[in-house]
C-alpha cells in the first residue's frame, strides 16, 4: 500500500503549529529584508523606488518584526539578549540581589519582544522602546528624539542597540544614535551593539578596525567582540569613558565617506558630524 503523502499547509497555518517551516520562512524573510536594506543604501531614482516597493511587498517593518519574534523564540535559542546577558554575568553585573545599590537601568532600543530580560528581573529594570511596538509593554518612542541633553543625560546603566543602526537609513543619523547613547549612559555605563556582519566586513566604507576607532572617537572603550567567519551577526560591548578635551573635535576620517575597500560591496557607513 503506497505511503500517504502529507498535505502541505499554508505558511500561516504552519506558523500556528510551530513547525520547522516557520523557522525556515522567518530566516528567508529576514535575509531578504537585510539584502534589500543593503541595496537601499546605494540606490537612487527608479532603483530606489523598486527596492522600497519590494520592502513593502514583503510586508514592511511589521513583517520583519513578526519574523524576528519567531527568530527569538526559545526553540530558536533566543535572540541577541543572550549574548548581552552572558557578558554582563562575566563582568559581575548580574548580582542576585541589588537592593542596596539598586537595579541596573537598561534601555532596549528597537525591542521586538517585551520579555527578553525577564530572567534578569532581580538585578535589572528594563525600558523597552520601538518606533512601531507590537506589544503594549513596549513604549512607542523614536530613540533619536529622546532628550539626551537633560532628561536622559547619564540616566542609563546599559543601552542596547541590537539591529538598530542597520534600520536607520542615513549614515549621519547612525552616528547621532551612537553619540546620543554615549550621552545618555552614566560614566562607566555599557553600550551593547549588534549588526548583520556584512555591514562591517563587506562594506566599502567600514572595516572592523574603522568601527573600533570610530567608537573610540565617540568615547567608547571596546570590552567584547563576537563574530565568526561566514556568520550572520557581529556583537560588541562598549564601556563609556569620559571624553577628553582633545577628543571633542571629530576626526575627518569619520565625518565623510572614504572608500576603504574596492569590489562588489555594500554602502553601509556611520558618519560623525
Amino acid at each position: 500500500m503506497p505511503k500517504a503523502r502529507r498535505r502541505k499547509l499554508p505558511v500561516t497555518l504552519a506558523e500556528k503549529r510551530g513547525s520547522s517551516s516557520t523557522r525556515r520562512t522567518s530566516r528567508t524573510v529576514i535575509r531578504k529584508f537585510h539584502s534589500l536594506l543593503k541595496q537601499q543604501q546605494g540606490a537612487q531614482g527608479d532603483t530606489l523606488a523598486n527596492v522600497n516597493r519590494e520592502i513593502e511587498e514583503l510586508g514592511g517593518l511589521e513583517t520583519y518584526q513578526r519574523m524576528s519574534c519567531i527568530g527569538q523564540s526559545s526553540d530558536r535559542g533566543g535572540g541577541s539578549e543572550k549574548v548581552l546577558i552572558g557578558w554582563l554575568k562575566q563582568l559581575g553585573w548580574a548580582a542576585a540581589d541589588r537592593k542596596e545599590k539598586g537595579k541596573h537601568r537598561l534601555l532596549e532600543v528597537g525591542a521586538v519582544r517585551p520579555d527578553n530580560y525577564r530572567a534578569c528581573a532581580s538585578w535589572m529594570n528594563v525600558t523597552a522602546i520601538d518606533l512601531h511596538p507590537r506589544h503594549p509593554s513596549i513604549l512607542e518612542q523614536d530613540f533619536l528624539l529622546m532628550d539626551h541633553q537633560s532628561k536622559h543625560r547619564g540616566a542609563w546603566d546599559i543601552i542596547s542597540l541590537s539591529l538598530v543602526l542597520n534600520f536607520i537609513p542615513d549614515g549621519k543619523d547612525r552616528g547621532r544614535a551612537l553619540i546620543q547613547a554615549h550621552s545618555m549612559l552614566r560614566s562607566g555605563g555599557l553600550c551593547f551593539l549588534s549588526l548583520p556582519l556584512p555591514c562591517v566586513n563587506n562594506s566599502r566604507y567600514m572595516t572592523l578596525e574603522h568601527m573600533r576607532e570610530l567608537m573610540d572617537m565617540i568615547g567608547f572603550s571596546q570590552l567584547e567582540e563576537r563574530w565568526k567567519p561566514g556568520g550572520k551577526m557581529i556583537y560588541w560591548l562598549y564601556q563609556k569613558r569620559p571624553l577628553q578635551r582633545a577628543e571633542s573635535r571629530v576626526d575627518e576620517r569619520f565625518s565623510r565617506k572614504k572608500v576603504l575597500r574596492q569590489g562588489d560591496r555594500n554602502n553601509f557607513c556611520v558618519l560623525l558630524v
Side-chain angles (χ1 to χ4, degrees):
M1 184 175 180
K3 188 176 181 180
R5 295 181 63 183
R6 184 177 178 181
R7 181 171 173 265
K8 290 185 177 181
L9 294 173
V11 171
T12 51
L13 292 179
E15 288 179 9
K16 293 179 180 179
R17 296 193 180 185
S19 70
S20 59
S21 298
T22 302
R23 296 190 286 274
R24 288 194 296 270
T25 301
S26 69
R27 286 195 296 268
T28 300
V29 172
I30 289 172
R31 281 198 297 267
K32 182 62 174 177
F33 261 107
H34 289 169
S35 175
L36 289 170
L37 288 169
K38 284 191 290 183
Q39 294 176 44
Q40 193 181 53
Q41 294 302 315
Q44 295 180 352
D46 291 342
T47 302
L48 179 59
N50 289 335
V51 171
N52 289 336
R53 177 179 51 77
E54 286 192 63
I55 290 174
E56 288 304 313
E57 287 176 354
L58 278 176
L61 183 61
E62 183 177 351
T63 295
Y64 176 84
Q65 289 177 317
R66 180 164 56 87
M67 293 303 174
S68 294
C69 282
I70 296 169
Q72 289 190 13
S73 61
S74 58
D75 66 329
R76 294 291 305 280
S80 61
E81 74 279 355
K82 288 195 172 185
V83 178
L84 173 57
I85 292 170
W87 282 339
L88 292 175
K89 289 180 177 179
Q90 290 176 21
L91 292 172
W93 281 49
D97 188 351
R98 289 187 54 86
K99 289 183 179 180
E100 294 182 5
K101 297 182 179 180
K103 297 180 181 181
H104 297 302
R105 297 156 297 175
L106 166 66
L107 178 64
E108 185 184 11
V109 183
V112 176
R113 297 170 62 94
D115 56 352
N116 283 337
Y117 297 93
R118 181 174 52 188
C120 309
S122 65
W123 51 277
M124 186 188 294
N125 280 327
V126 180
T127 298
I129 65 171
D130 190 58
L131 278 172
H132 306 285
R134 301 185 69 248
H135 191 279
S137 296
I138 300 175
L139 302 179
E140 184 175 348
Q141 174 67 59
D142 185 339
F143 177 66
L144 288 173
L145 296 181
M146 294 181 74
D147 180 7
H148 65 284
Q149 296 293 345
S150 55
K151 180 179 179 180
H152 292 283
R153 188 176 185 87
W156 303 92
D157 300 298
I158 310 162
I159 293 179
S160 170
L161 298 173
S162 181
L163 291 176
V164 171
L165 294 189
N166 53 305
F167 276 98
I168 298 176
D170 184 69
K172 294 178 181 179
D173 284 339
R174 296 182 193 124
R176 280 181 54 213
L178 294 174
I179 293 171
Q180 184 164 313
H182 186 275
S183 175
M184 291 170 62
L185 284 167
R186 66 165 174 82
S187 181
L190 302 175
C191 178
F192 177 67
L193 179 63
S194 75
L195 283 170
L197 186 56
C199 288
V200 180
N201 77 347
N202 195 38
S203 167
R204 56 177 50 88
Y205 303 118
M206 300 292 294
T207 64
L208 288 171
E209 183 62 26
H210 183 81
M211 186 68 179
R212 187 178 299 111
E213 292 175 353
L214 181 145
M215 294 298 284
D216 186 69
M217 181 77 224
I218 294 172
F220 284 114
S221 298
Q222 183 175 303
L223 300 182
E224 301 285 351
E225 178 182 285
R226 180 184 298 180
W227 63 280
K228 60 183 180 181
K232 299 175 182 177
M233 294 289 299
I234 183 166
Y235 308 92
W236 296 275
L237 186 64
Y238 299 97
Q239 188 163 41
K240 175 180 177 176
R241 68 171 194 279
L243 277 174
Q244 303 299 318
R245 184 180 297 273
E247 295 178 306
S248 60
R249 186 175 180 180
V250 175
D251 192 312
E252 189 176 288
R253 291 177 299 160
F254 310 117
S255 62
R256 59 182 63 181
K257 292 181 181 180
K258 181 181 179 181
V259 176
L260 302 176
R261 290 181 291 195
Q262 302 291 336
D264 185 16
R265 301 183 183 277
N266 65 68
N267 294 318
F268 183 87
C269 66
V270 179
L271 300 175
L272 306 181
V273 293

